[in-house]
Amino acid sequence: MPSAVGFGRIAATLPVKNMPAALAFYVGVLGFTKRFENGEPVGFVILRQGESELHLTLQPQHRAAHFPVAHLLVDDIGALFALCQQAGARIVKGLQDKDYGLRTFVFADPDGNRIDVGQRVGKPGSGE
């Protein structure tokens, strides 16, 4: 039975062991802007970059998953790939063109959270 409830935004929440290091990466490298923070020391942060919103939560015992925990769609995957490399982020999977119309790669942030990145490169089967 379909839901009659409309949904608004949804944002990934990433656990981090070290909030200053996470902010240095997401704000300093990827260009997110801090929109909200809570706690002393800071234990929760809301970040924005364009249409993307990301929440960081301080979890000192965090162990990263072995799979991507978020997917990020971008308009210049080559530039983001270069930024990640320059920042020393671990590249889990290099740039690949997929048959479903995306160019992709996966990186791990300073806490090991894997982020799957994609850029639309054409419609499957369209030759674009």
Side-chain angles (χ1 to χ4, degrees), residues 64-113:
H66 298 304
F67 53 85
V69 295
H71 178 78
L72 177 61
L73 200 57
V74 298
D75 60 9
D76 189 344
I77 199 164
L80 183 57
F81 185 77
L83 281 173
C84 288
Q85 286 183 310
Q86 291 166 5
R90 185 167 63 92
I91 303 299
V92 178
K93 291 184 183 177
L95 283 169
Q96 302 173 24
D97 288 335
K98 300 295 188 173
D99 61 0
Y100 44 83
L102 288 181
R103 178 166 294 135
T104 68
F105 79 97
V106 177
F107 71 89
D109 74 5
D111 287 285
N113 296 304

Side-chain angles (χ1 to χ4, degrees), residues 10-126:
I10 187 168
T13 299
L14 299 181
V16 299
K17 290 181 185 179
N18 181 323
M19 190 64 78
L23 289 172
F25 180 74
Y26 285 102
V27 174
V29 175
L30 299 188
F32 280 80
T33 301
K34 190 182 337 175
R35 307 295 268 181
F36 175 81
E37 67 179 39
N38 189 25
E40 184 56 49
V42 175
F44 179 77
V45 175
I46 296 175
L47 302 174
R48 292 231 9 150
Q49 211 294 14
E51 296 298 314
S52 296
E53 185 170 307
L54 182 63
H55 298 182
L56 304 178
T57 179
L58 185 61
Q59 300 295 316
Q61 305 305 314
H62 168 61
R63 291 186 185 266
H66 298 304
F67 53 85
V69 295
H71 178 78
L72 177 61
L73 200 57
V74 298
D75 60 9
D76 189 344
I77 199 164
L80 183 57
F81 185 77
L83 281 173
C84 288
Q85 286 183 310
Q86 291 166 5
R90 185 167 63 92
I91 303 299
V92 178
K93 291 184 183 177
L95 283 169
Q96 302 173 24
D97 288 335
K98 300 295 188 173
D99 61 0
Y100 44 83
L102 288 181
R103 178 166 294 135
T104 68
F105 79 97
V106 177
F107 71 89
D109 74 5
D111 287 285
N113 296 304
R114 294 181 184 194
I115 310 297
D116 179 28
V117 181
Q119 177 182 355
R120 290 186 179 95
V121 291
K123 298 173 190 160
S126 71

